[in-house]
Amino acid sequence: MMSKASIKAIGSYVPEKRLTNRDLEELVDTNDEWIVKRTGMRERRIADENEYTSDLSVKAVKNLIKRYDKQVEDVDMIICCTLTPDFKTPSTASLVQAKLGIKNAGAIDLNAACAGFTYGLYVANGLITSGLNKKILVIGAETLSKITDYSDRTTCVLFGDGAGAVLIEYDEKSPSFISAHAGSEGEMGDSLYCTDLSNNMFDEQLKDSGYIVQNGREVYKWAVNTVPEGINTLLEKSRIQLGDIDWFVPHSANLRIIESICDKSNIPIENTLYSLEYYGNTSSATIPLSLDMGVREGLLLPDQTVLLYGFGGGLAYAGQIIKWTV
Ligand code: UT7
């Protein structure tokens, strides 16, 4: 079905506090050279103790409102993509709705870990194109620092906090969404998890720390195989040629993963937008942060064709080919 949904504005926010590779050297047995070489990361932003995902989300939306002179009082759905909600209930989206003074809007959280934002776009496009909604805020926001174990060098060097938001409106004339693709391999769920109510998965007792636990090598191997296949599927579904893609915006998990995907998929690395160097892996927020960096730097322009691809915990993945309309 032809999309009837169009991205009309973008905004983002990252906390002030920086955690550099040098700072991490004080916390765990690591060093700047290892982190840069193995991940491409130099810094990440860390939320204050009293700053939560809903706070970052609200600031990202306020940034969007200011820059695009948009109203959000009349949005009819708020989708907050996050794996670090402030509470189990109320949802982060409901908190955002209240803090922004929005009335008569639906509010849901969507957890697909690092594929969250691309899943959020998938759902928003479906809701608008089907006629159920007219104006949706899709937010990708995380405070991963609150579930990161700063004594585990295999994870603490990776994660950071941040938020990005887009406003999507009904618009038949210039729709953004060209093709989409989503899936999950829950059988590999124990490669990347954070326990909550249960510490049992597939009859296996998991490390019950409340922190992110990751088998980095397993997720790495999975990502560099799964994402290039997904890119092919997206191209086939859209009948768009690879050469017509102006920008590739993958989840910013690791620069080596991005380079390997680009290599396998014949995408020039120069045509890639990523946010990991100064923000680290912000899960649901990496893709909107990368898009907004592209906009602010004058790289990402209206009418360009963009391939987005989120992947991670689940293990889940979702990709989109979109026309950039902002
Ligand atoms: O966003 C959700 C999806 N997540 C991902 O996509 C993450 C995927 N995985 C990765 O990005 C990488 O696997 C990591 C960055 C997590 C790790 O990089 P790697 O090249 O796969 O390293 P490794 O786990 O194979 O470890 C290599 C060595 C090990 O030492 P030995 O066993 O060779 O002696 C580790 O103990 O590096 C050691 N190591 C470290 N050394 C210094 C692991 N972490 C660190 C560290 N500093 N922070």
Side-chain angles (χ1 to χ4, degrees):
M1 192 196 281
M2 272 285 283
S3 167
K4 295 176 182 169
S6 183
I7 298 174
K8 297 294 185 190
I10 184 164
S12 64
Y13 173 78
V14 288
E16 294 293 316
K17 189 175 157 201
R18 291 162 202 263
L19 184 68
T20 65
N21 292 353
R22 294 269 177 238
D23 296 331
L24 286 160
E25 287 177 6
E26 306 292 319
L27 297 176
V28 285
D29 180 15
T30 190
N31 57 77
D32 176 59
E33 197 197 341
W34 190 97
I35 302 173
V36 172
K37 202 167 145 212
R38 299 278 184 143
T39 71
M41 295 169 188
R42 294 177 193 279
E43 287 181 12
R44 351 42 225 125
R45 299 297 182 96
I46 306 295
D48 285 343
E49 209 179 317
N50 300 322
E51 199 177 21
Y52 293 91
T53 299
S54 68
D55 302 312
L56 272 52
S57 301
V58 165
K59 286 182 176 160
V61 175
K62 285 189 172 164
N63 176 257
L64 171 157
I65 294 169
K66 199 167 141 204
R67 283 162 56 201
Y68 292 87
D69 196 20
K70 284 281 182 187
Q71 302 297 319
V72 296
E73 288 80 4
D74 57 343
V75 301
D76 48 10
M77 183 62 73
I78 302 166
I79 302 176
C80 191
C81 312
T82 187
L83 74 102
T84 47
D86 302 18
F87 299 96
K88 286 190 178 68
T89 190
S91 70
T92 312
S94 284
L95 297 172
V96 170
Q97 170 257 309
K99 288 179 185 182
L100 287 170
I102 299 172
K103 304 280 177 211
N104 304 315
I108 48 167
D109 284 4
L110 186 158
N111 179 354
C114 305
F117 186 74
T118 40
Y119 263 97
L121 295 181
Y122 192 103
V123 172
N125 176 41
L127 290 173
I128 291 180
T129 300
S130 69
L132 279 172
N133 291 120
K134 287 263 183 277
K135 198 168 174 182
I136 301 184
L137 270 174
V138 179
I139 303 165
E142 304 286 1
T143 45
L144 294 175
S145 62
K146 298 191 192 299
I147 58 164
T148 296
D149 178 357
Y150 286 96
S151 67
D152 175 6
R153 69 174 181 173
T154 68
T155 53
C156 75
V157 301
L158 304 173
F159 301 115
D161 302 337
V166 291
L167 183 67
I168 307 180
E169 294 179 21
Y170 181 86
D171 182 349
E172 274 184 86
K173 291 202 184 94
S174 60
S176 297
F177 299 91
I178 300 170
S179 70
H181 161 67
S184 165
E185 289 177 49
E187 301 77 6
M188 290 183 71
D190 60 352
S191 306
L192 175 47
Y193 65 84
C194 178
T195 56
D196 197 345
L197 296 179
S198 169
N199 62 354
N200 183 287
M201 198 192 289
F202 317 132
D203 296 326
E204 175 196 355
Q205 261 333 97
L206 300 176
K207 192 173 155 192
D208 180 18
S209 60
Y211 292 128
I212 300 172
V213 179
Q214 175 173 247
N215 183 333
R217 281 183 208 179
E218 280 301 312
V219 181
Y220 191 111
K221 274 191 284 175
W222 171 81
V224 299
N225 288 315
T226 304
V227 180
E229 283 172 22
I231 290 172
N232 284 342
T233 307
L234 278 175
L235 290 169
E236 278 162 22
K237 280 190 180 181
S238 66
R239 302 214 180 95
I240 279 185
Q241 306 295 313
L242 187 63
D244 298 329
I245 303 290
D246 295 294
W247 294 106
F248 174 43
V249 188
H251 165 50
S252 274
N254 183 327
L255 186 54
R256 278 163 51 228
I257 293 182
I258 296 176
E259 285 168 345
S260 171
I261 294 168
C262 284
D263 200 41
K264 285 193 179 177
S265 297
N266 286 317
I267 298 172
I269 189 80
E270 307 75 54
N271 293 5
T272 303
L273 298 173
Y274 52 85
S275 52
L276 57 80
E277 194 173 359
Y278 291 99
Y279 300 146
N281 178 347
T282 54
S283 192
S284 285
T286 70
I287 290 178
L289 283 174
S290 305
L291 289 168
D292 203 20
M293 281 171 64
V295 169
R296 286 166 192 258
E297 288 170 20
L299 299 168
L300 177 56
L301 300 168
D303 274 339
Q304 287 184 331
T305 306
V306 188
L307 196 155
L308 314 174
Y309 214 100
F311 57 88
L315 300 178
Y317 52 87
Q320 311 266 341
I321 295 180
I322 63 170
K323 182 72 74 188
W324 191 246
T325 40
V326 185

